[in-house]
Amino acid sequence: MGVGRLVNTRELRDLSEGEEVVVRGWVYRWRDLGKRVFIVVRDAYGIVQVVASKDYTDSMSFKVAREASIESSVIVEGIVRRDKRAPGGVEIRAKKINLVHKAEEFPIKGGEGIDFLLDNRHLWIRSRRLTAVWRLRQNLFNAFREFFHKEGYFEVSPPMLTQAAVEGGATLFKVDFFGRPAYLTQSAQFYLEVMIFSLEKVWTLAPSFRAERSRTRRHLYEYWHLEAEAAWSRMDDMMDLVSRLVAYTVNRVLETSQEELSILGRNTELLEPARKPAYPRIMYEEAIDILKRKGVDVKYGDDLGADEERVLTSEFETPFYITLFPLELKSFYMKEDESNPGLALAFDLLAPEGVGEIVGGSEREDDYEKLKNRIISRGYNVEDYNWYLDLRRYGSVPHSGFGLGVERLIMWIAGLDHIRDTIPFPRFRDRIYP
Ligand code: 4AD
Ligand code: MG
């Protein structure tokens, strides 16, 4: 082959009638009408209809077209025809078709149950819907990078193997590190805190691991965590940064991923209000009042779970913050608010439409004695945190940071009702597969 130019299905849309092209991909749909065979070929960017006919397809290729099975890999050489009825507005009249591999009968035919699909995740990955999510994910990752670059943050590379808990012992995965215990990281936060003494403003995008006790629609055991930390930054500065980040990401996804959002059936009108980084802020105490008013059985001091969050999200059209939680509800490293003793300078950002918490952040306790006392009063082993405490001994500075659950953000932006479809290989308790 080699008469036409090799193009993908996205580039194809801008080509004119009569151009000679080569397209390669997998057979997505197939119809044999006797004199003509219609093959819809998919590649990374979309689909295109290929028509084989005795009139213009060489006879060997026409035979091949009739034998092609779903998911066979093919290379097609042909001529562009502009046709409004075809998906993407173009189709290809095939001159030659090379069947690279004839697929066996593909097990996924449509209508299968979730267990079957999860057992065949390595094949289900190819579906148009999931492929749209992977492309959207790429656009989202690009947006993160662009954003932090513009904001003057340094990207850093924290370890995944760690020696102490960031978010408490209950969700730690233990690993055997040459006979000594180590853990899979829950959060890069402490390493980012170390790095701000060298680079001031840092961020990372890396996996985090949580041995969650409960199975829910919004928990993964392994997820991608976008985290940032900045010296000289107070809680309000950090919330402003998070708002700019989320609004920037929503804008970029709306600009780059219309097609993906449409394949996913997302009503993008619902994302419009989030384009501006002005997200409401309520205090924990107000959140409790709203919940009580709505008839939820809660009292001051209760933690807000998924159910409570869902009720709160119905009050807002954009992401919104809950701030100033009672200290004992939050992690040991969070700074106490001097003007509100007993409250932590902590914030959660909740996404609307029932999604709930997508970001957790805070100002960090920067005083050596106070932090050490917190570690002790929570019953943790001070020895494990000596290096973390050291940061408060040599040029301590006010600083803040946050962590954003990438898959939770995708759930909201793409309008998916289960977190498993936001990531190619979700881990499940009963199967680490594939
Ligand atoms: O609220 P979390 O536990 O906060 C931290 O880990 C901080 N150390 C982050 C920081 O300040 N650098 O987790 C942060 C976010 C949550 O808001 C949520 O979006 C996501 O991580 N997350 C999960 N996402 C999917 N599955 C899970 N099991 C998650 N646990 C947390
Ligand atoms: Mg949290």
Side-chain angles (χ1 to χ4, degrees):
M1 304 230 169
V3 205
R5 184 154 69 91
L6 178 64
V7 291
N8 64 44
T9 57
R10 191 173 56 182
E11 292 160 338
L12 201 57
R13 279 174 227 161
D14 302 324
L15 300 189
S16 6
E17 176 89 18
E19 285 201 54
E20 299 218 21
V21 289
V22 176
V23 167
R24 55 191 182 191
W26 291 264
V27 175
Y28 177 67
R29 269 194 233 114
W30 179 92
R31 248 177 335 141
D32 187 348
L33 299 183
K35 275 169 80 178
R36 284 192 296 173
V37 180
F38 292 86
I39 300 177
V40 178
V41 173
R42 61 164 188 85
D43 68 5
Y45 296 97
I47 54 177
V48 63
Q49 174 160 286
V50 172
V51 189
S53 158
K54 282 187 176 146
D55 297 339
Y56 45 75
T57 309
D58 79 43
S59 58
M60 261 303 286
S61 297
F62 189 71
K63 239 184 96 203
V64 160
R66 303 194 85 162
E67 285 167 8
S69 50
I70 298 293
E71 289 304 316
S72 289
S73 42
V74 291
I75 302 176
V76 178
E77 196 183 308
I79 293 174
V80 172
R81 280 221 48 223
R82 303 226 48 113
D83 184 341
K84 285 201 182 70
R85 292 161 304 171
V90 280
E91 64 177 27
I92 296 175
R93 282 191 167 172
K95 295 208 290 195
K96 283 187 186 158
I97 299 174
N98 174 2
L99 186 60
V100 179
H101 178 254
K102 183 173 158 57
E104 294 177 29
E105 189 177 336
F106 199 62
I108 302 173
K109 298 181 169 65
E112 288 85 6
I114 189 66
D115 279 325
F116 182 84
L117 290 173
L118 288 174
D119 281 343
N120 288 283
R121 184 73 173 187
H122 56 294
L123 301 176
W124 185 25
I125 288 283
R126 312 173 177 197
S127 75
R128 254 194 114 199
R129 210 180 140 76
L130 290 183
T131 302
V133 178
W134 317 146
R135 282 199 304 267
L136 186 142
R137 215 180 142 96
Q138 162 79 83
N139 295 336
L140 195 87
F141 278 39
N142 288 345
F144 295 154
R145 288 229 149 69
E146 287 160 12
F147 175 81
F148 281 112
H149 183 68
K150 282 190 224 264
E151 295 275 346
Y153 276 63
F154 291 92
E155 184 169 3
V156 297
S157 310
M160 308 295 107
L161 281 172
T162 66
Q163 125 298 352
V166 176
E167 296 300 331
T171 59
L172 275 181
F173 277 112
K174 202 170 173 180
V175 285
D176 175 11
F177 195 73
F178 302 106
R180 274 180 300 148
Y183 307 95
L184 297 178
T185 185
Q186 295 168 312
S187 161
Q189 180 188 325
F190 294 175
Y191 298 98
L192 298 189
E193 284 188 62
V194 172
M195 295 300 289
I196 63 162
F197 291 86
S198 135
L199 293 171
E200 297 189 40
K201 299 196 288 187
V202 297
W203 73 286
T204 192
L205 177 56
S208 275
F209 302 85
R210 305 279 170 114
E212 300 285 355
R213 301 294 146 196
S214 54
R215 291 169 96 132
T216 76
R217 289 184 311 116
R218 58 176 209 167
H219 283 96
L220 289 165
Y221 300 102
E222 178 182 18
Y223 70 98
W224 283 74
H225 206 169
L226 178 70
E227 296 185 274
E229 195 75 27
W232 318 109
S233 167
R234 314 310 294 239
M235 180 175 80
D236 284 336
D237 305 321
M238 201 37 67
M239 289 163 75
D240 289 344
L241 181 81
V242 170
S243 300
R244 291 200 297 280
L245 165 71
V246 173
Y248 183 84
T249 306
V250 169
N251 278 304
R252 288 301 286 145
V253 170
L254 285 172
E255 284 157 19
T256 57
S257 314
Q258 278 302 328
E259 205 180 308
E260 287 70 26
L261 291 164
S262 128
I263 291 172
L264 297 168
R266 179 64 165 137
N267 175 3
T268 52
E269 284 296 305
L270 297 175
L271 295 172
E272 288 296 323
R275 279 178 179 264
K276 288 206 194 75
Y279 303 150
R281 303 176 182 195
I282 58 171
M283 286 171 54
Y284 166 85
E285 189 175 6
E286 296 174 73
I288 295 291
D289 289 343
I290 295 174
L291 289 169
K292 281 185 181 158
R293 216 168 52 231
K294 301 205 110 192
V296 181
D297 180 23
V298 283
K299 57 179 189 316
Y300 189 91
D302 288 351
D303 207 355
L304 305 176
D307 293 338
E308 292 76 27
E309 287 187 6
R310 195 166 311 116
V311 175
L312 289 170
T313 68
S314 64
E315 298 279 293
F316 299 90
E317 285 192 336
T318 65
F320 61 98
Y321 293 93
I322 305 179
T323 66
L324 303 180
F325 293 79
L327 275 177
E328 54 284 2
L329 288 184
K330 288 291 183 185
S331 306
F332 75 90
Y333 53 73
M334 294 183 176
K335 191 175 172 72
E336 184 169 9
D337 185 1
E338 273 161 26
S339 41
N340 289 293
L343 299 186
L345 288 170
F347 61 89
D348 280 357
L349 181 69
L350 279 65
E353 299 177 65
V355 175
E357 183 189 338
I358 55 173
V359 174
S362 76
E363 192 162 329
R364 319 306 192 188
E365 182 51 72
D366 49 11
D367 179 82
Y368 179 85
E369 289 301 331
K370 284 186 186 155
L371 185 59
K372 189 172 173 181
N373 290 336
R374 287 272 200 87
I375 292 171
I376 294 166
S377 70
R378 293 273 170 119
Y380 302 145
N381 185 0
V382 178
E383 296 288 297
D384 289 342
Y385 296 95
N386 272 337
W387 59 269
Y388 185 61
L389 282 164
D390 265 358
L391 306 178
R392 281 75 180 161
R393 294 173 66 208
Y394 307 103
S396 192
V397 277
H399 64 285
S400 305
F402 73 88
L404 175 150
V406 171
E407 287 75 22
R408 296 246 183 115
L409 180 66
I410 296 177
M411 259 182 102
W412 168 54
I413 292 183
L416 303 176
D417 51 46
H418 202 296
I419 201 164
R420 68 175 161 241
D421 288 343
T422 62
I423 186 163
F425 306 103
R427 260 68 278 258
F428 294 98
R429 207 170 289 185
D430 47 356
R431 58 179 126 197
I432 298 195
Y433 165 83

